[in-house]
Amino acid sequence: MSNDEIKLDFERTDRLGFGEAILCEQKSTRQISAILDQAETASHSLLLTRLSTQKLSGLPANHRARIDFDETSGTAFFRYLPHATTAADVAVVAAGTSDAPAAREALRTLEFNGVGSTAIFDVGVAGLWRLMDRIDEIKRHTVVIAVAGMDAALPSVLGGLVPGVLIAVPTSAGYGMARDGETALAACLASCAPGVTVCNIDNGYGAACAALRVLNAIQKTTS
Amino acid sequence: MSNDEIKLDFERTDRLGFGEAILCEQKSTRQISAILDQAETASHSLLLTRLSTQKLSGLPANHRARIDFDETSGTAFFRYLPHATTAADVAVVAAGTSDAPAAREALRTLEFNGVGSTAIFDVGVAGLWRLMDRIDEIKRHTVVIAVAGMDAALPSVLGGLVPGVLIAVPTSAGYGMARDGETALAACLASCAPGVTVCNIDNGYGAACAALRVLNAIQKTTS
Amino acid sequence: MSNDEIKLDFERTDRLGFGEAILCEQKSTRQISAILDQAETASHSLLLTRLSTQKLSGLPANHRARIDFDETSGTAFFRYLPHATTAADVAVVAAGTSDAPAAREALRTLEFNGVGSTAIFDVGVAGLWRLMDRIDEIKRHTVVIAVAGMDAALPSVLGGLVPGVLIAVPTSAGYGMARDGETALAACLASCAPGVTVCNIDNGYGAACAALRVLNAIQKTTS
Amino acid sequence: MSNDEIKLDFERTDRLGFGEAILCEQKSTRQISAILDQAETASHSLLLTRLSTQKLSGLPANHRARIDFDETSGTAFFRYLPHATTAADVAVVAAGTSDAPAAREALRTLEFNGVGSTAIFDVGVAGLWRLMDRIDEIKRHTVVIAVAGMDAALPSVLGGLVPGVLIAVPTSAGYGMARDGETALAACLASCAPGVTVCNIDNGYGAACAALRVLNAIQKTTS
Amino acid sequence: MSNDEIKLDFERTDRLGFGEAILCEQKSTRQISAILDQAETASHSLLLTRLSTQKLSGLPANHRARIDFDETSGTAFFRYLPHATTAADVAVVAAGTSDAPAAREALRTLEFNGVGSTAIFDVGVAGLWRLMDRIDEIKRHTVVIAVAGMDAALPSVLGGLVPGVLIAVPTSAGYGMARDGETALAACLASCAPGVTVCNIDNGYGAACAALRVLNAIQKTTS
Amino acid sequence: MSNDEIKLDFERTDRLGFGEAILCEQKSTRQISAILDQAETASHSLLLTRLSTQKLSGLPANHRARIDFDETSGTAFFRYLPHATTAADVAVVAAGTSDAPAAREALRTLEFNGVGSTAIFDVGVAGLWRLMDRIDEIKRHTVVIAVAGMDAALPSVLGGLVPGVLIAVPTSAGYGMARDGETALAACLASCAPGVTVCNIDNGYGAACAALRVLNAIQKTTS
Amino acid sequence: MSNDEIKLDFERTDRLGFGEAILCEQKSTRQISAILDQAETASHSLLLTRLSTQKLSGLPANHRARIDFDETSGTAFFRYLPHATTAADVAVVAAGTSDAPAAREALRTLEFNGVGSTAIFDVGVAGLWRLMDRIDEIKRHTVVIAVAGMDAALPSVLGGLVPGVLIAVPTSAGYGMARDGETALAACLASCAPGVTVCNIDNGYGAACAALRVLNAIQKTTS
Amino acid sequence: MSNDEIKLDFERTDRLGFGEAILCEQKSTRQISAILDQAETASHSLLLTRLSTQKLSGLPANHRARIDFDETSGTAFFRYLPHATTAADVAVVAAGTSDAPAAREALRTLEFNGVGSTAIFDVGVAGLWRLMDRIDEIKRHTVVIAVAGMDAALPSVLGGLVPGVLIAVPTSAGYGMARDGETALAACLASCAPGVTVCNIDNGYGAACAALRVLNAIQKTTS
């Protein structure tokens, strides 16, 4: 693979307000390593998503030394410089333990972009009181990211209770008719709770970017 | 069409505990009329389902005179003799106004078989407080039939609150990714609320029959 | 149909920040009329969506007299009191003439809730220069609603150019493999443009509600 | 993973009448172990489902020592105290040898909750006489759980013969157009045998919970 | 439409052993009429399938005068000369009244080709005794065509009882998860009854042609 | 696993005219071994299908010693006694090298049941002259089994040329829109070549059983 | 509808080498009429596709007077000036009479752009000799457009025989598993005949445009 | 496997204008080796596609010595004699790094057939300026092959800008609703950019063959 195959988008932060991220799922270790070479040369930090433990261990040692890796979400910060984090503007609310990978991908993406967040896990609607115990806390956030698989009833219930911006992330949790997340996705889209928007299955990264767009819009208005 | 094409099952009540019903959806007016002839000859009552207003008006006057028709559900009682109705053992709970046809099909099937019921409509989870206002009333029933389309979150929420028998009827309400009820059905099946069982899309009749099986089992045990 | 089947949610504005709307698609004229009776009694205005010309003409004259109807979108304002409209915070950008119904449903929902908007139509990416002519104008809006059917490439292209909040509405325009909007929807969700969120097929109403959630969040922050 | 991600539902027995169960399929060994820690601390027993032999062997020795594991179904009893089992109220009827995992998941769930059952295996309808040999025995049970893959004709045939409560569990047995159980599921739902309700593909656990709801309803009536 | 668009296959009988048939479903009245012109000129008889009453009435009177039409199946014999019919070598067994159109299409195709048949209707497996009453009669036929919709359990049950040639015709009877016959088709194909082959949904014509191929093979062997 | 889970059908030969076969795909080595124990005890031969090399090597040595295994098709003859084979009544015609597993499954099933066959491979329609070179030879057989994946055009072309019984086996050969054989299957069913019947994807065993039914019918007629 | 919703692309001929076309399927009569107004004003000719007879009759008389309409294909030439047509560079080959609408849409699009063509209809592979009679004539064309529904075997067979450019148009002809053209489309794409490319279902217009791109490329090279 | 199962098509170059290729994906190492034996004996070169590194290493050393392998695309030239390459008539344009396998399969197929090409990678529309930087270069080619996964917006955008022949290759890049390339494929087919034709998912080989057909047509015209 020549370097001609890779064209990193280092100006994305200026243009869109959040940094470049590399989806590693269908890239070879060789391709990922070449991307990190470019970032290193440009003294640029990168967010890597869907990086498996196996691919991580296949990277050169000098790259691995500059990586902060989270196993549950498969996210890695490359050349990450910790910066001031804002107040917790975003709540990431997950229905079950099996939804943790997507939920943590959202949390990590927010952290990489310097945005504070609150994690509220295991509050699926089959045990409604768990959700009700924390609903006032959830409502205090500007943006709520609702992460749920199987029947994904959580975003529908939240949609009737929460006035803020509400973004649903359907997950591939479940089996049989959960259909690798397609049922959760369709349920979120068909929901009669108004004004809930939806991301791709397991796309915690995309939900966090959508939240960043909202926070940027607020900042632009108030500044 | 010769009469050889029709073999009514007049012994079903003895065998299964509930009467024969005729699904009219894909039958011609001629076929339905021939079926009513046989029932008339045998002095037998029948429940007709999915009977359109148009097909009803195409039936001979003598048959129409013996029919009690409900337009919303498309159900008809033929030669129905009102009999004593039991206490309201079954609650039929519907999420929205658009779920009324399937919900009423269940209610009418129960009535035809002499079972009392309570109708609780328009309590979808996007307005959770409407459901919570009536949850204690719902829990008092032996069997709960939950009727919902779109994302069908209602059965999931009920499944965590109601200890009784819970039967879900997904409906074809909604558009786009509601996919004519397939999303509601898949959501009911993929739900993590344990012990909820599911009927075909819009199959209020089948849910009522399942409730009858439960009530018959209780009666058999207690008698 | 008894009135027990209908429970309007007149407190929605207080709770969520935008008014109740009635999806008329699978409701009978009789059901819609009963809903308008309740709204009349409560001196409440309502937004009706997916109202066909045929159903409109079936409503009682006194209700019709209070309705402002838009044929392209099938939306109706019932007892609408014109109020001050904000500056044009939202751009509704549509790819083709066939996307007009969903795009106008969004525009009308914004108008009903007192929010100004800009309509930019027929700028699909197969004629890229049409879009480029107006991209600076589009970028000036806080929220951009991108409406597109067929392959729905418009939201992907906008996602790389526009820093603001971007909400995609896939439409059922097209034939064959357009699959009644499922291809457009899947394309929006699978897009590599980060932070674009998606609504149900043809759901201009839902996109407008999502925009309202964002504008409400900004107002809450700045007030 | 912090313990904040896990909120066990130890009150489920009081609320619904059957104990908490943990679906292990998409949970990591680390997550399962943390769950068992909580149960140990609370002196609570747990039912684990979809536990692979590999994950079992990855658990700490002290947890493994308290586990009663069944390989065919992948079920584990954690801290299980054998209690009096009722008479065999439930028949679990399986069409073929390949349906054993789901059938045994149902049997084990019933055992964990103290309910007696009868296992009747390899009675698929392609060899009808095998079923007919045992039909009288099957009919003596209050609840019949019918487990079948491929074309799932077994529940349809039973539905016309058995007056009791009948719950179908479609399985993923078969290949090609069996479509990992979707054909079996659709066949159960489309069946013209009235009053048969259906669970998710391979969901023996859910069918057993539904049976427990029925038995609880009977007990409540008779007590 | 010029005649160049139509090329009838009048040699098919010589080549394959059964006559040409015209599928009228997606042909215009003008196209069908032009086809009949060619057949008339060639003094050739034709079998028309999927001919609606409406299209029939749109044909020229001289063509209509030479047509023997069956409404249930939508089949028409054009210029049919009754010929000696063989003994009843084929049994056409249908599960329900709604399966009559496909079943009669098979019966009519056999009749058009001079083959005797037995019609056995309304013997679906939800009422197993109806089938068992006639199973010995069914087994006496060389070829059995099993016609069933919904869950299509009939061919599976027959497949274990009947040693002769067994051809399944799934039908579009049913609603919801019957999916216009796709569930019945998939169930027939996934059946564990060995040696059952399957035709397209509602394709009674094709099943009859397959039966003709078998009977021709027998005749060829014995002559 | 107790032996109660297994009920072999040793009378199938008497009833249907061909022997029992065991589908090994979703059975554990332990289950297969228990089945062979029963066959050994009953001095009965068995055909095993979909047996992987790995499962074969996991069987006890005494069973392995009695097995004749074919790797391409994954078929095994257990306790097979070679018997007189008939003349080649069946042609198995395969479109490509990738269709060999299903084609050989058919050939081996015929051999196990004492029927002669001709194998004609790699005659797909994209190289039409290869098929035309052998079409006369193919037409001499009583039954033709056409095995093809991808677009499965082979059965359609044969259907217009071959007067004998024609059974199509779609295969999972191909990638992308070949959809694991679903496209081949749908193409066979939608074909306008009349009288072609279809088996499940890759089901060479089923096609051979269907051929056996035809040959048995001929034998019965001529004897 | 304001004129702002319509932006015709009158420069397309200069840019791409073929004229603008208007897909009328999901446009209202009012929208189409406004488009024709713009074309009239600009003294520009237009190709209309998917125009129903009903919509045509709803257009103003002055527009209708300038329209050359073809009913089979639903195409209309607006303000068409007949120009010199090239030699027949393109062969449009259709499998059956039911494929005529898409085939004629291709022929009409070529005619509108001044390109000669040969129409060869009713040469489906189920009657292979009909195709073989004309294969030498077909091979003489620079571009071959193959139009076929159901199993769409025609493009596969042609792909092995024809060295020229080969474009497949799957059609919605057929029923049941033909799935409104999805089976034909998938079969074309999965075909092992190399170098065949595919258009959307029934998209004769698109195939003609692709042919125009090829002919333009040749002209550009030779000029 | 006997050699009878393999019939190589060494005359394809004469007949179609490009050489035989072997799809290795579902062939065993043994089958591939036998094919190479035949090519060796016939002194013929071959293109192998979808050859995994693992299968390559399983081939005999004498075959491996004659193979030029490209790991990214999985293509191998067997007995390849480098020949004069034409000018770069074809541009292969890929949207992202994950599309490299299909793009390189196209490039390698062109090289094997002696055709020059230009590779332009990582120019997806989410970063539109990357594409615009190179659009003039792209437009200079006779044929453009556009390779893109996920939402595959690239071919639509190119279709409005490029007058030459445009062939789309959808790829399986992406996750969730990218559905292994089905969304990209459907988006290409539903695109409103006229005259774009489409190949199977990841089928770079087929796109190159289609380009060869076009170049051959030009050569034939100009010679």
Side-chain angles (χ1 to χ4, degrees), chain A residues 19-73:
Chain A
E20 165 107 284
I22 305 297
L23 173 66
C24 299
E25 197 163 17
Q26 284 158 320
K27 295 192 177 68
S28 65
T29 303
R30 208 168 35 133
Q31 287 176 317
I32 298 166
S33 187
I35 287 167
L36 297 184
D37 288 345
Q38 285 200 12
E40 186 67 52
T41 304
S43 299
H44 214 282
S45 64
L46 275 180
L47 172 64
L48 307 179
T49 62
R50 310 288 163 103
L51 181 67
S52 65
T53 312
Q54 194 184 358
K55 278 187 188 168
L56 174 68
S57 65
L59 291 176
N62 64 318
H63 286 335
R64 283 210 313 278
R66 287 173 166 283
I67 279 178
D68 165 8
F69 184 66
D70 174 67
E71 189 178 346
T72 301
S73 61

Side-chain angles (χ1 to χ4, degrees), chain D residues 123 127-138, chain F residues 7:
Chain D
V123 291
L128 196 61
W129 67 99
R130 297 182 298 190
L131 180 63
M132 287 306 157
D133 282 356
R134 307 196 65 176
I135 191 67
D136 288 332
E137 180 186 0
I138 293 170
Chain F
K7 287 182 194 55

